[in-house]
Amino acid sequence: MLASLPEEERKQHIPDQLTMRTVHTIGDKSQLNGAFDNIRKQGFCLLDQELELGLRSVAAPVYDSTGKVIAALNVGMHAARLSLDAVNENVVPAVVKAVQDLSEAIQLQNK
C-alpha cells in the first residue's frame, strides 16, 4: 500500500531509522524507495525472508473505482515449502488475478 503513495507522502510513513529484522531486510532508505517504485511498476510485492527468516509473502493492491488503493491482499508461506521459483510461477499470478477480480467487483458495486 505504501508503494501506491507519492514519494513525499510515503516518506511520512517511513521511520528515520529502519529496523533490520533479518539479514535480508532492506536497511537503506534509498534502496527501500527503489523497491517501492519497482513494486508499483510490477503490481505486486514479493518479500523473501525480509520480515522473518523462513517467511515469504506476496501482496498486491486492491483498487476502488477511482483507481485508489483501498486494501491489499497478502499471502504468506514458509520458504522451505515453496521455492522462490514456485512462488513466482504459481503464487504471484494467483494473487494478482485475485486482486484484479476483487477490484473489478468493487468497481461494479460502486457504479
Side-chain angles (χ1 to χ4, degrees):
M1 292 181 76
L2 285 174
S4 71
L5 298 175
E7 187 174 345
E8 287 305 312
E9 189 175 345
R10 185 189 317 148
K11 286 179 182 179
Q12 297 172 14
H13 298 279
I14 299 173
D16 291 334
Q17 181 66 35
L18 298 178
T19 302
M20 298 292 295
R21 298 188 179 272
T22 75
V23 296
H24 304 286
T25 303
I26 297 173
D28 177 78
K29 284 187 179 185
S30 177
Q31 287 179 345
L32 184 60
N33 275 321
F36 283 133
D37 291 341
N38 287 335
I39 291 164
R40 184 182 344 196
K41 288 176 191 168
Q42 63 190 13
F44 67 90
C45 175
L46 170 57
L47 290 183
D48 185 17
Q49 304 184 71
E50 291 181 42
L51 181 62
E52 181 178 322
L53 290 176
L55 175 66
R56 287 192 178 121
S57 64
V58 177
V62 177
Y63 296 92
D64 69 8
S65 58
T66 68
K68 180 181 176 187
V69 174
I70 57 169
L73 176 73
N74 182 68
V75 176
M77 68 236 52
H78 197 284
R81 295 184 185 246
L82 275 179
S83 70
L84 200 50
D85 286 340
V87 171
N88 278 305
E89 291 173 18
N90 301 301
V91 179
V92 169
V95 169
V96 169
K97 174 75 168 105
V99 296
Q100 288 171 342
D101 292 346
L102 184 54
S103 294
E104 288 176 15
I106 289 169
Q107 291 167 16
L108 287 174
Q109 289 293 320
N110 292 329
K111 285 189 175 183

